[in-house]
Amino acid sequence: MKEKDIVKIFKALSDNNRIKILYLLKEQKSTFGDIENNLELRQPTISHHIKTLREVGLIVEEKQGRNKSYLINKSQVKIIYDYFNNLVK
């Protein structure tokens, strides 16, 4: 993973609402409505944060007909984990 990609990920993680979304998705995949109900955020705010997290690959979208669910992209998180693990070796 390139350093510029790591920087983009850290920028995405620099917002408290995005961290809250990730913690919610840690437990289970969630729909947009689930996120809205659990975090009491407005639709435009959630859309912005979901877009940012998707752009850096931290979450992925699953489509089931008209419905969309979001979940953590574990492979991307593992890449980040490995990157930092190598820094402390």
Coordinates of all heavy atoms in Angstrom, one line a residue:
M1 N 0.9 -1.2 0.0 CA 0.0 0.0 0.0 C 0.9 1.2 0.0 O 1.9 1.3 0.7 CB -0.9 0.0 1.2 CG -1.8 1.2 1.3 SD -3.0 1.1 2.6 CE -4.3 0.1 1.7
K2 N 0.6 2.2 -0.8 CA 1.4 3.4 -0.9 C 1.1 4.3 0.2 O 0.0 4.3 0.8 CB 1.0 4.1 -2.3 CG 1.4 3.3 -3.5 CD 1.0 4.0 -4.7 CE 1.2 3.1 -6.0 NZ 0.8 3.8 -7.2
E3 N 2.1 5.2 0.5 CA 1.9 6.1 1.6 C 0.7 7.1 1.4 O 0.0 7.4 2.3 CB 3.2 6.9 1.9 CG 4.2 6.0 2.6 CD 5.5 6.8 2.9 OE1 5.4 8.0 3.1 OE2 6.5 6.2 3.0
K4 N 0.5 7.5 0.2 CA -0.5 8.4 -0.1 C -1.9 7.8 0.1 O -2.8 8.5 0.5 CB -0.5 9.0 -1.5 CG -0.7 8.0 -2.6 CD -0.7 8.6 -4.0 CE -1.0 7.6 -5.1 NZ -1.1 8.2 -6.4
D5 N -2.0 6.5 0.0 CA -3.2 5.8 0.3 C -3.5 5.7 1.8 O -4.6 5.9 2.2 CB -3.2 4.3 -0.3 CG -3.2 4.3 -1.8 OD1 -3.7 5.3 -2.5 OD2 -2.5 3.4 -2.4
I6 N -2.4 5.5 2.5 CA -2.5 5.5 4.0 C -3.0 6.9 4.5 O -3.8 7.0 5.3 CB -1.2 5.1 4.6 CG1 -0.8 3.7 4.3 CG2 -1.2 5.3 6.1 CD1 -1.7 2.6 4.9
V7 N -2.4 7.9 3.9 CA -2.8 9.3 4.3 C -4.3 9.5 4.0 O -5.0 10.1 4.8 CB -2.0 10.3 3.5 CG1 -2.5 11.7 3.7 CG2 -0.5 10.3 4.0
K8 N -4.8 9.0 2.9 CA -6.2 9.2 2.5 C -7.1 8.4 3.6 O -8.2 8.9 4.0 CB -6.5 8.6 1.1 CG -6.0 9.6 0.0 CD -6.3 9.0 -1.3 CE -5.7 9.8 -2.4 NZ -6.0 9.2 -3.8
I9 N -6.6 7.3 4.0 CA -7.4 6.5 4.9 C -7.4 7.2 6.3 O -8.5 7.3 6.9 CB -6.8 5.1 5.1 CG1 -7.1 4.3 3.8 CG2 -7.3 4.4 6.3 CD1 -6.3 3.0 3.7
F10 N -6.3 7.8 6.7 CA -6.3 8.5 7.9 C -7.2 9.8 7.9 O -7.8 10.1 8.9 CB -4.9 8.9 8.3 CG -4.2 7.8 9.1 CD1 -3.2 7.1 8.6 CD2 -4.6 7.6 10.4 CE1 -2.6 6.1 9.3 CE2 -4.0 6.6 11.2 CZ -3.0 5.8 10.6
K11 N -7.2 10.4 6.7 CA -8.1 11.6 6.6 C -9.6 11.1 6.7 O -10.4 11.8 7.4 CB -7.9 12.3 5.3 CG -6.6 13.1 5.2 CD -6.5 13.8 3.9 CE -5.2 14.6 3.8 NZ -5.0 15.3 2.6
A12 N -9.9 10.0 6.2 CA -11.2 9.4 6.3 C -11.6 9.1 7.7 O -12.7 9.2 8.2 CB -11.4 8.2 5.4
L13 N -10.6 8.6 8.5 CA -10.8 8.2 9.9 C -10.7 9.4 10.8 O -10.9 9.2 12.0 CB -9.7 7.2 10.3 CG -9.8 5.8 9.6 CD1 -8.7 4.9 9.9 CD2 -11.2 5.2 9.9
S14 N -10.5 10.6 10.3 CA -10.3 11.7 11.2 C -11.6 12.4 11.6 O -11.7 13.4 12.3 CB -9.4 12.8 10.5 OG -10.1 13.4 9.4
D15 N -12.8 11.8 11.2 CA -14.1 12.3 11.6 C -14.7 11.3 12.6 O -14.8 10.1 12.3 CB -14.9 12.4 10.3 CG -16.2 13.1 10.6 OD1 -17.1 12.4 11.1 OD2 -16.4 14.3 10.4
N16 N -15.2 11.9 13.7 CA -15.9 11.0 14.7 C -17.1 10.3 14.2 O -17.3 9.1 14.6 CB -16.3 11.9 15.9 CG -16.7 11.2 17.1 OD1 -16.1 10.2 17.4 ND2 -17.8 11.6 17.7
N17 N -17.9 10.9 13.3 CA -19.0 10.2 12.8 C -18.7 9.0 11.9 O -19.3 7.9 11.9 CB -19.9 11.1 12.0 CG -20.7 12.1 12.8 OD1 -21.1 11.7 13.9 ND2 -20.8 13.3 12.4
R18 N -17.6 9.0 11.2 CA -17.1 7.9 10.4 C -16.6 6.8 11.3 O -16.9 5.6 11.0 CB -16.0 8.3 9.4 CG -16.5 9.3 8.4 CD -15.4 9.6 7.4 NE -15.9 10.8 6.7 CZ -15.2 11.9 6.5 NH1 -13.9 12.0 7.0 NH2 -15.7 13.0 5.9
I19 N -16.0 7.1 12.4 CA -15.6 6.1 13.4 C -16.8 5.4 13.9 O -16.9 4.2 14.1 CB -14.7 6.7 14.5 CG1 -13.4 7.3 14.0 CG2 -14.4 5.7 15.6 CD1 -12.5 6.4 13.4
K20 N -17.8 6.2 14.2 CA -19.1 5.6 14.8 C -19.7 4.7 13.8 O -20.2 3.6 14.1 CB -20.1 6.7 15.1 CG -19.7 7.5 16.4 CD -20.7 8.6 16.6 CE -20.3 9.5 17.8 NZ -21.3 10.6 18.0
I21 N -19.7 5.1 12.5 CA -20.3 4.2 11.4 C -19.5 2.9 11.4 O -20.1 1.8 11.3 CB -20.3 4.9 10.1 CG1 -21.3 6.0 10.1 CG2 -20.5 3.9 8.9 CD1 -21.3 7.0 8.9
L22 N -18.2 3.0 11.4 CA -17.3 1.7 11.4 C -17.6 0.8 12.6 O -17.7 -0.4 12.5 CB -15.9 2.1 11.4 CG -15.4 2.7 10.0 CD1 -13.9 3.1 10.1 CD2 -15.5 1.7 8.9
Y23 N -17.8 1.4 13.8 CA -18.1 0.6 15.0 C -19.5 0.0 14.8 O -19.7 -1.2 15.2 CB -18.0 1.4 16.2 CG -16.6 1.4 16.9 CD1 -15.7 2.4 16.6 CD2 -16.3 0.4 17.7 CE1 -14.4 2.3 17.1 CE2 -15.0 0.3 18.2 CZ -14.1 1.3 17.9 OH -12.8 1.2 18.5
L24 N -20.4 0.7 14.2 CA -21.7 0.1 14.0 C -21.6 -1.1 13.0 O -22.2 -2.2 13.3 CB -22.7 1.1 13.5 CG -24.1 0.6 13.1 CD1 -24.8 0.2 14.4 CD2 -24.9 1.7 12.4
L25 N -20.8 -0.9 12.0 CA -20.7 -2.0 11.0 C -19.8 -3.1 11.5 O -19.8 -4.2 10.9 CB -20.1 -1.4 9.7 CG -21.0 -0.3 9.0 CD1 -20.3 0.2 7.8 CD2 -22.3 -0.9 8.6
K26 N -19.1 -2.9 12.5 CA -18.2 -3.9 13.1 C -19.1 -5.1 13.6 O -18.8 -6.3 13.5 CB -17.4 -3.4 14.3 CG -16.6 -4.3 15.0 CD -15.9 -3.7 16.2 CE -15.8 -4.7 17.3 NZ -15.8 -4.1 18.6
E27 N -20.3 -4.7 14.1 CA -21.2 -5.7 14.7 C -21.9 -6.5 13.6 O -22.1 -7.7 13.8 CB -22.2 -5.0 15.6 CG -21.5 -4.3 16.8 CD -20.7 -5.3 17.7 OE1 -21.1 -6.4 17.9 OE2 -19.6 -4.8 18.2
Q28 N -22.4 -5.8 12.6 CA -23.1 -6.4 11.5 C -23.3 -5.5 10.3 O -23.1 -4.3 10.5 CB -24.5 -6.8 12.0 CG -25.4 -5.6 12.4 CD -26.7 -6.0 13.1 OE1 -26.8 -7.1 13.5 NE2 -27.6 -5.0 13.1
K29 N -23.6 -6.1 9.2 CA -23.8 -5.2 8.0 C -25.1 -4.5 8.3 O -26.0 -5.0 9.0 CB -23.9 -6.0 6.7 CG -25.0 -6.9 6.5 CD -24.9 -7.6 5.2 CE -26.0 -8.6 5.0 NZ -25.8 -9.3 3.7
S30 N -25.2 -3.3 7.8 CA -26.3 -2.4 8.2 C -26.8 -1.7 6.9 O -26.0 -1.4 6.0 CB -25.9 -1.4 9.2 OG -25.5 -2.0 10.4
T31 N -28.1 -1.4 6.9 CA -28.6 -0.6 5.8 C -28.5 0.9 6.2 O -28.1 1.3 7.3 CB -30.2 -0.8 5.7 OG1 -30.8 -0.4 6.9 CG2 -30.4 -2.3 5.4
F32 N -28.8 1.7 5.2 CA -28.7 3.2 5.4 C -29.6 3.6 6.6 O -29.2 4.4 7.4 CB -29.1 3.9 4.1 CG -28.8 5.3 4.1 CD1 -27.6 5.8 3.5 CD2 -29.6 6.3 4.6 CE1 -27.3 7.1 3.5 CE2 -29.3 7.6 4.6 CZ -28.1 8.0 4.0
G33 N -30.8 3.0 6.6 CA -31.8 3.3 7.6 C -31.3 2.9 9.0 O -31.5 3.6 10.0
D34 N -30.6 1.7 9.1 CA -30.0 1.3 10.4 C -29.0 2.3 10.9 O -29.0 2.6 12.1 CB -29.3 -0.1 10.2 CG -30.2 -1.2 9.9 OD1 -31.4 -1.1 10.2 OD2 -29.7 -2.1 9.2
I35 N -28.2 2.8 10.0 CA -27.2 3.8 10.4 C -27.9 5.1 10.8 O -27.5 5.6 11.9 CB -26.2 4.1 9.2 CG1 -25.4 2.8 8.9 CG2 -25.3 5.2 9.5 CD1 -24.7 2.9 7.6
E36 N -28.9 5.5 10.1 CA -29.6 6.7 10.4 C -30.3 6.6 11.8 O -30.2 7.5 12.6 CB -30.6 7.0 9.4 CG -31.3 8.3 9.5 CD -32.2 8.6 8.3 OE1 -32.7 7.6 7.7 OE2 -32.5 9.8 8.0
N37 N -30.9 5.4 12.1 CA -31.6 5.2 13.4 C -30.6 5.1 14.5 O -30.9 5.6 15.6 CB -32.5 4.0 13.3 CG -33.6 4.2 12.4 OD1 -34.1 5.3 12.1 ND2 -34.1 3.1 11.8
N38 N -29.5 4.4 14.4 CA -28.6 4.1 15.4 C -27.7 5.4 15.8 O -27.3 5.5 16.9 CB -27.7 3.0 15.1 CG -28.4 1.6 15.3 OD1 -28.7 1.3 16.5 ND2 -28.7 1.0 14.2
L39 N -27.4 6.2 14.8 CA -26.5 7.3 15.1 C -27.1 8.6 15.1 O -26.5 9.6 15.4 CB -25.3 7.2 14.0 CG -24.5 5.9 14.0 CD1 -23.4 6.0 13.0 CD2 -23.9 5.6 15.4
E40 N -28.4 8.7 14.8 CA -29.2 9.9 14.8 C -28.5 11.0 14.0 O -28.3 12.1 14.4 CB -29.4 10.4 16.2 CG -30.2 9.4 17.0 CD -30.4 9.8 18.5 OE1 -30.0 11.0 18.9 OE2 -31.0 9.0 19.2
L41 N -28.1 10.6 12.8 CA -27.5 11.5 11.8 C -28.5 11.7 10.7 O -29.3 10.9 10.4 CB -26.2 11.0 11.2 CG -25.0 10.7 12.2 CD1 -23.9 10.0 11.5 CD2 -24.6 12.0 12.8
R42 N -28.4 12.9 10.0 CA -29.3 13.2 8.9 C -28.8 12.5 7.7 O -27.6 12.2 7.5 CB -29.4 14.7 8.8 CG -30.1 15.3 10.0 CD -30.2 16.8 9.8 NE -30.5 17.1 8.4 CZ -30.9 18.3 8.0 NH1 -30.9 19.3 8.8 NH2 -31.2 18.5 6.7
Q43 N -29.7 12.3 6.7 CA -29.4 11.6 5.5 C -28.2 12.2 4.7 O -27.3 11.4 4.3 CB -30.7 11.5 4.6 CG -30.6 10.7 3.4 CD -30.0 11.5 2.2 OE1 -30.2 12.7 2.1 NE2 -29.4 10.8 1.3
P44 N -28.2 13.5 4.5 CA -27.0 14.0 3.7 C -25.7 13.8 4.4 O -24.7 13.5 3.8 CB -27.3 15.5 3.6 CG -28.8 15.7 3.9 CD -29.1 14.6 4.8
T45 N -25.7 13.8 5.7 CA -24.5 13.6 6.5 C -24.0 12.2 6.3 O -22.8 11.9 6.1 CB -24.7 13.9 8.0 OG1 -25.1 15.3 8.1 CG2 -23.4 13.7 8.8
I46 N -25.0 11.2 6.5 CA -24.6 9.8 6.3 C -24.1 9.5 4.9 O -23.1 8.8 4.7 CB -25.9 8.9 6.6 CG1 -26.3 9.1 8.1 CG2 -25.6 7.5 6.3 CD1 -27.6 8.5 8.4
S47 N -24.8 10.1 3.9 CA -24.4 9.9 2.5 C -22.9 10.3 2.3 O -22.1 9.6 1.7 CB -25.3 10.6 1.6 OG -26.5 10.1 1.5
H48 N -22.6 11.5 2.8 CA -21.2 12.0 2.7 C -20.2 11.1 3.4 O -19.2 10.7 2.8 CB -21.1 13.4 3.3 CG -19.8 13.9 3.4 ND1 -19.0 14.3 2.4 CD2 -18.9 14.1 4.5 CE1 -17.8 14.7 2.8 NE2 -17.8 14.6 4.1
H49 N -20.5 10.6 4.6 CA -19.6 9.8 5.3 C -19.4 8.4 4.7 O -18.3 7.8 4.6 CB -20.0 9.6 6.8 CG -19.8 10.9 7.5 ND1 -18.7 11.7 7.4 CD2 -20.7 11.5 8.4 CE1 -18.9 12.8 8.2 NE2 -20.1 12.7 8.8
I50 N -20.5 7.8 4.2 CA -20.5 6.5 3.5 C -19.7 6.6 2.3 O -18.8 5.8 2.0 CB -21.9 6.0 3.2 CG1 -22.7 5.7 4.4 CG2 -21.9 4.9 2.2 CD1 -22.3 4.4 5.1
K51 N -19.9 7.7 1.5 CA -19.1 7.9 0.3 C -17.6 8.0 0.6 O -16.8 7.3 -0.1 CB -19.5 9.2 -0.4 CG -18.8 9.5 -1.7 CD -19.2 10.8 -2.3 CE -18.3 11.1 -3.5 NZ -18.4 12.5 -3.9
T52 N -17.2 8.7 1.6 CA -15.8 8.9 2.0 C -15.2 7.5 2.4 O -14.1 7.2 1.9 CB -15.7 9.9 3.1 OG1 -16.2 11.1 2.7 CG2 -14.2 10.0 3.5
L53 N -15.9 6.8 3.2 CA -15.4 5.5 3.7 C -15.3 4.5 2.5 O -14.4 3.7 2.5 CB -16.3 4.9 4.8 CG -16.2 5.7 6.1 CD1 -17.4 5.2 7.0 CD2 -14.9 5.5 6.8
R54 N -16.3 4.5 1.6 CA -16.2 3.6 0.4 C -15.0 4.0 -0.5 O -14.4 3.1 -1.1 CB -17.5 3.7 -0.4 CG -18.7 3.0 0.3 CD -19.9 2.9 -0.5 NE -19.7 2.2 -1.7 CZ -20.2 2.4 -2.9 NH1 -21.1 3.5 -3.0 NH2 -20.0 1.7 -3.9
E55 N -14.8 5.3 -0.7 CA -13.7 5.7 -1.6 C -12.3 5.2 -1.1 O -11.5 5.0 -2.0 CB -13.7 7.3 -1.7 CG -14.8 7.8 -2.5 CD -14.9 9.3 -2.6 OE1 -14.2 10.0 -1.7 OE2 -15.6 9.9 -3.4
V56 N -12.1 5.1 0.2 CA -10.8 4.6 0.6 C -10.9 3.1 0.9 O -9.9 2.5 1.4 CB -10.4 5.4 1.9 CG1 -10.1 6.8 1.6 CG2 -11.3 5.2 3.1
G57 N -12.0 2.5 0.6 CA -12.1 1.0 0.7 C -12.3 0.5 2.0 O -12.2 -0.7 2.2
L58 N -12.7 1.3 3.0 CA -12.9 0.8 4.4 C -14.3 0.1 4.5 O -14.4 -0.8 5.4 CB -12.8 1.9 5.4 CG -11.4 2.4 5.6 CD1 -11.4 3.6 6.6 CD2 -10.5 1.3 6.2
I59 N -15.2 0.4 3.7 CA -16.5 -0.3 3.7 C -16.9 -0.6 2.3 O -16.4 0.0 1.3 CB -17.6 0.5 4.4 CG1 -18.0 1.8 3.6 CG2 -17.3 0.8 5.8 CD1 -19.2 2.5 4.2
V60 N -17.7 -1.6 2.1 CA -18.2 -2.0 0.8 C -19.8 -2.0 0.9 O -20.4 -2.1 2.0 CB -17.7 -3.4 0.4 CG1 -16.2 -3.3 0.1 CG2 -18.0 -4.4 1.4
E61 N -20.4 -1.9 -0.3 CA -21.8 -1.9 -0.4 C -22.3 -3.2 -1.0 O -21.7 -3.7 -2.0 CB -22.2 -0.7 -1.3 CG -23.6 -0.6 -1.6 CD -23.9 0.6 -2.5 OE1 -24.0 1.7 -2.0 OE2 -24.0 0.3 -3.8
E62 N -23.3 -3.8 -0.4 CA -23.9 -5.0 -1.0 C -25.3 -4.6 -1.4 O -26.1 -4.0 -0.7 CB -24.1 -6.1 0.1 CG -23.0 -7.0 0.2 CD -23.3 -8.1 1.2 OE1 -24.4 -8.3 1.7 OE2 -22.3 -8.9 1.5
K63 N -25.7 -5.0 -2.7 CA -27.0 -4.7 -3.2 C -27.8 -5.9 -3.1 O -27.4 -7.0 -3.5 CB -26.9 -4.1 -4.6 CG -26.3 -2.8 -4.7 CD -26.4 -2.2 -6.1 CE -25.7 -0.9 -6.1 NZ -25.7 -0.3 -7.5
Q64 N -29.1 -5.8 -2.6 CA -30.0 -6.9 -2.6 C -31.3 -6.3 -3.1 O -32.1 -5.8 -2.4 CB -30.2 -7.4 -1.1 CG -28.9 -7.8 -0.5 CD -28.9 -7.7 1.0 OE1 -29.7 -7.0 1.6 NE2 -28.0 -8.5 1.7
G65 N -31.5 -6.5 -4.4 CA -32.6 -5.8 -5.1 C -32.4 -4.3 -5.0 O -31.4 -3.8 -5.5
R66 N -33.4 -3.7 -4.5 CA -33.3 -2.2 -4.3 C -32.6 -1.8 -3.1 O -32.2 -0.6 -2.9 CB -34.7 -1.6 -4.3 CG -35.5 -1.7 -5.6 CD -36.8 -1.0 -5.4 NE -37.7 -1.3 -6.5 CZ -38.9 -0.9 -6.6 NH1 -39.5 -0.3 -5.6 NH2 -39.6 -1.2 -7.7
N67 N -32.5 -2.7 -2.2 CA -31.8 -2.4 -0.9 C -30.3 -2.5 -0.9 O -29.8 -3.3 -1.6 CB -32.4 -3.3 0.2 CG -33.9 -3.2 0.4 OD1 -34.4 -2.1 0.3 ND2 -34.5 -4.3 0.6
K68 N -29.7 -1.6 -0.2 CA -28.2 -1.6 0.0 C -27.9 -1.8 1.4 O -28.5 -1.3 2.3 CB -27.6 -0.3 -0.5 CG -27.8 0.0 -2.0 CD -27.3 1.3 -2.3 CE -27.6 1.7 -3.8 NZ -27.1 3.0 -4.1
S69 N -26.9 -2.6 1.7 CA -26.3 -2.8 3.0 C -24.8 -2.5 2.9 O -24.2 -2.6 1.9 CB -26.5 -4.3 3.5 OG -27.8 -4.6 3.6
Y70 N -24.3 -2.1 4.0 CA -22.9 -1.7 4.1 C -22.2 -2.6 5.2 O -22.8 -3.0 6.2 CB -22.7 -0.2 4.5 CG -23.4 0.7 3.5 CD1 -24.7 1.1 3.7 CD2 -22.8 1.0 2.3 CE1 -25.4 1.9 2.8 CE2 -23.4 1.8 1.4 CZ -24.7 2.3 1.6 OH -25.4 3.0 0.7
L71 N -20.9 -2.9 4.9 CA -20.2 -3.7 5.8 C -18.7 -3.3 5.7 O -18.3 -2.7 4.7 CB -20.4 -5.2 5.6 CG -20.0 -5.8 4.2 CD1 -19.4 -7.2 4.4 CD2 -21.2 -5.9 3.4
I72 N -18.0 -3.6 6.7 CA -16.5 -3.3 6.8 C -15.8 -4.2 5.8 O -16.1 -5.4 5.7 CB -16.0 -3.5 8.2 CG1 -16.5 -2.4 9.1 CG2 -14.4 -3.6 8.2 CD1 -15.9 -2.5 10.5
N73 N -14.9 -3.6 5.1 CA -14.0 -4.4 4.1 C -12.8 -4.9 4.9 O -11.8 -4.2 5.1 CB -13.6 -3.4 3.0 CG -12.8 -4.1 2.0 OD1 -12.4 -5.3 2.1 ND2 -12.4 -3.4 0.9
K74 N -13.0 -6.1 5.4 CA -12.0 -6.7 6.3 C -10.6 -6.9 5.6 O -9.6 -6.7 6.2 CB -12.4 -8.0 6.8 CG -13.6 -7.9 7.8 CD -14.0 -9.2 8.3 CE -15.2 -9.0 9.3 NZ -15.7 -10.2 9.9
S75 N -10.6 -7.1 4.3 CA -9.3 -7.2 3.6 C -8.6 -5.9 3.6 O -7.3 -5.9 3.8 CB -9.5 -7.8 2.2 OG -10.3 -6.9 1.4
Q76 N -9.3 -4.8 3.4 CA -8.6 -3.5 3.5 C -8.1 -3.2 4.9 O -7.0 -2.6 5.1 CB -9.6 -2.4 3.0 CG -9.0 -1.0 3.0 CD -8.1 -0.8 1.8 OE1 -7.5 -1.7 1.3 NE2 -7.9 0.5 1.4
V77 N -8.9 -3.5 5.9 CA -8.5 -3.3 7.3 C -7.3 -4.1 7.6 O -6.3 -3.6 8.3 CB -9.7 -3.6 8.2 CG1 -9.2 -3.5 9.7 CG2 -10.8 -2.6 8.0
K78 N -7.2 -5.3 7.1 CA -6.0 -6.2 7.3 C -4.8 -5.6 6.7 O -3.7 -5.6 7.3 CB -6.3 -7.6 6.8 CG -5.1 -8.5 7.1 CD -5.4 -9.9 6.9 CE -4.2 -10.8 7.2 NZ -2.9 -10.3 7.5
I79 N -4.9 -5.0 5.5 CA -3.8 -4.3 4.8 C -3.2 -3.2 5.7 O -2.0 -3.1 5.9 CB -4.2 -3.8 3.4 CG1 -4.4 -5.0 2.5 CG2 -3.1 -2.9 2.9 CD1 -5.1 -4.6 1.2
I80 N -4.2 -2.4 6.3 CA -3.7 -1.3 7.1 C -3.1 -1.8 8.4 O -2.0 -1.3 8.8 CB -5.0 -0.4 7.5 CG1 -5.5 0.2 6.2 CG2 -4.6 0.7 8.5 CD1 -6.9 0.7 6.3
Y81 N -3.7 -2.9 9.0 CA -3.1 -3.5 10.2 C -1.7 -4.0 9.9 O -0.8 -3.7 10.6 CB -4.0 -4.6 10.6 CG -3.4 -5.5 11.7 CD1 -3.5 -5.0 13.0 CD2 -2.8 -6.6 11.5 CE1 -2.9 -5.8 14.1 CE2 -2.2 -7.4 12.5 CZ -2.3 -7.0 13.8 OH -1.7 -7.7 14.8
D82 N -1.5 -4.7 8.8 CA -0.2 -5.2 8.4 C 0.8 -4.1 8.2 O 2.0 -4.2 8.6 CB -0.3 -6.1 7.2 CG -1.0 -7.4 7.4 OD1 -1.2 -7.8 8.6 OD2 -1.5 -8.0 6.4
Y83 N 0.3 -3.0 7.6 CA 1.2 -1.9 7.4 C 1.8 -1.4 8.7 O 3.0 -1.1 8.8 CB 0.4 -0.8 6.6 CG 1.2 0.5 6.4 CD1 2.0 0.6 5.2 CD2 1.1 1.6 7.2 CE1 2.7 1.8 5.0 CE2 1.9 2.7 7.0 CZ 2.7 2.8 5.9 OH 3.4 4.0 5.7
F84 N 0.9 -1.2 9.6 CA 1.4 -0.7 10.9 C 2.1 -1.7 11.7 O 3.1 -1.4 12.5 CB 0.2 -0.1 11.8 CG -0.2 1.2 11.3 CD1 -1.3 1.4 10.5 CD2 0.6 2.3 11.6 CE1 -1.6 2.7 10.0 CE2 0.3 3.6 11.2 CZ -0.8 3.8 10.4
N85 N 1.8 -3.0 11.6 CA 2.5 -4.0 12.2 C 4.0 -4.0 11.8 O 4.9 -4.3 12.6 CB 1.8 -5.3 12.0 CG 2.2 -6.4 12.9 OD1 2.6 -6.1 14.1 ND2 2.2 -7.7 12.5
N86 N 4.2 -3.8 10.5 CA 5.5 -3.7 9.9 C 6.3 -2.6 10.5 O 7.5 -2.6 10.5 CB 5.5 -3.7 8.4 CG 5.1 -5.0 7.8 OD1 5.4 -6.1 8.4 ND2 4.5 -5.0 6.7
L87 N 5.6 -1.5 10.8 CA 6.3 -0.3 11.4 C 6.9 -0.6 12.7 O 7.9 0.0 13.1 CB 5.4 0.9 11.5 CG 5.0 1.6 10.2 CD1 3.9 2.7 10.5 CD2 6.2 2.2 9.5
V88 N 6.3 -1.4 13.5 CA 6.8 -1.7 14.9 C 7.7 -2.9 15.0 O 8.2 -3.2 16.1 CB 5.6 -1.8 15.9 CG1 4.9 -0.5 15.9 CG2 4.7 -2.9 15.5
K89 N 8.0 -3.6 13.9 CA 8.9 -4.7 13.9 C 10.3 -4.3 14.0 O 10.7 -3.3 13.5 CB 8.7 -5.6 12.7 CG 7.4 -6.4 12.8 CD 7.3 -7.4 11.6 CE 6.1 -8.2 11.7 NZ 6.0 -9.1 10.7

